[in-house]
Amino acid sequence: MIQQLVSSLIVRSYVARALCAFLMLSYFKQRMRRTLIWLINGYFVAWAAEWGSINFDFPFGWYVYHYDVLENDLIVFGMPFFDSLSFMFLSYVSFSVAQFFLSSLQGRGLAERKHYDDRPSQFADLPCNGVRAPGLWFGIALFQLGVTYWLALADIVTPIGRERILLLVLTGCFVIGPILLLTVAKFAKLANRGAMNWN
């Protein structure tokens, strides 16, 4: 099991890096207790959803894992450990981006919002507080689009498979494009108000 975990960390290093980014972002914003609650609950909800899908076609519909390809990965009751783990930090980054769009920012530009108990964050003065969540979200989205496009160009899929993968890339661009435009508009609005806080 330890060998499979280490192998998963090496082969899926991109997931490990995103997990580290989540742990830092969440700790700065919510401290350790809430970060651990998000980590554990997010993992088990994602694991249960994937388990339900491969066994009962719910909630994602039916799909299968190719365990011959995953022989060096850590498998937890039929699911690759890192697949379920990725749902957890993706949900947190999406939540943080939604907060970014919906917050009034109270005239403080992109400064860190207060904790749930109204105490100011001890990390409020770190550089570029407000751009971390959108930056990480776009980093993950662009990485995924890049890998998907690379698969389409690689010689490992059939022409029909290549067309489907290119359709996924195009669909992803339609999802990411409007969010990118909204993010640029939000930054432009803050810059025009003189509310940007990059300190």
Side-chain angles (χ1 to χ4, degrees):
M1 183 171 139
I2 301 283
Q3 181 181 355
Q4 290 173 322
L5 180 60
V6 170
S7 175
S8 295
L9 282 169
I10 293 169
V11 173
R12 316 261 181 244
S13 60
Y14 54 92
V15 179
R17 285 193 296 271
L19 175 63
C20 290
F22 153 75
L23 291 172
M24 288 189 333
L25 274 176
S26 183
Y27 178 73
F28 289 163
K29 188 76 180 279
Q30 305 184 116
R31 301 201 179 164
M32 186 58 68
R33 184 172 149 268
R34 287 181 170 231
T35 297
L36 290 176
I37 288 171
W38 195 296
L39 179 73
I40 294 166
N41 286 341
Y43 179 81
F44 283 111
V45 167
W47 181 89
E50 289 195 73
W51 186 84
S53 293
I54 67 171
N55 289 288
F56 302 107
D57 307 343
F58 179 82
F60 302 134
W62 183 80
Y63 61 92
V64 296
Y65 286 108
H66 297 281
Y67 294 107
D68 53 327
V69 178
L70 300 170
E71 62 185 19
N72 293 323
D73 283 54
L74 179 61
I75 305 295
V76 179
F77 296 106
M79 266 65 61
F81 175 71
F82 274 74
D83 277 8
S84 300
L85 198 62
S86 63
F87 279 84
M88 174 273 313
F89 63 74
L90 290 172
S91 68
Y92 180 77
V93 171
S94 298
F95 171 74
S96 297
V97 170
Q99 278 188 318
F100 166 76
F101 283 122
L102 297 175
S103 68
S104 65
L105 302 174
Q106 301 173 347
R108 297 182 61 206
L110 297 174
E112 189 78 13
R113 287 172 287 282
K114 291 182 178 180
H115 283 291
Y116 57 92
D117 58 1
D118 285 335
R119 287 179 292 123
S121 169
Q122 60 181 323
F123 303 103
D125 295 327
L126 290 175
C128 302
N129 272 332
V131 298
R132 286 196 199 107
L136 184 58
W137 190 91
F138 281 111
I140 291 170
L142 292 174
F143 171 79
Q144 183 62 39
L145 274 181
V147 169
T148 307
Y149 188 69
W150 172 78
L151 282 172
L153 296 179
D155 290 330
I156 57 176
V157 292
T158 64
I160 293 174
R162 185 171 293 114
E163 289 177 10
R164 289 183 179 176
I165 292 173
L166 287 172
L167 182 60
L168 284 174
V169 172
L170 181 63
T171 305
C173 290
F174 279 112
V175 171
I176 293 170
I179 297 171
L180 178 61
L181 291 175
L182 288 171
T183 303
V184 170
K186 179 98 171 181
F187 282 129
K189 181 178 178 182
L190 291 169
N192 288 338
R193 282 188 355 208
M196 294 287 280
N197 180 1
W198 298 96
N199 296 326

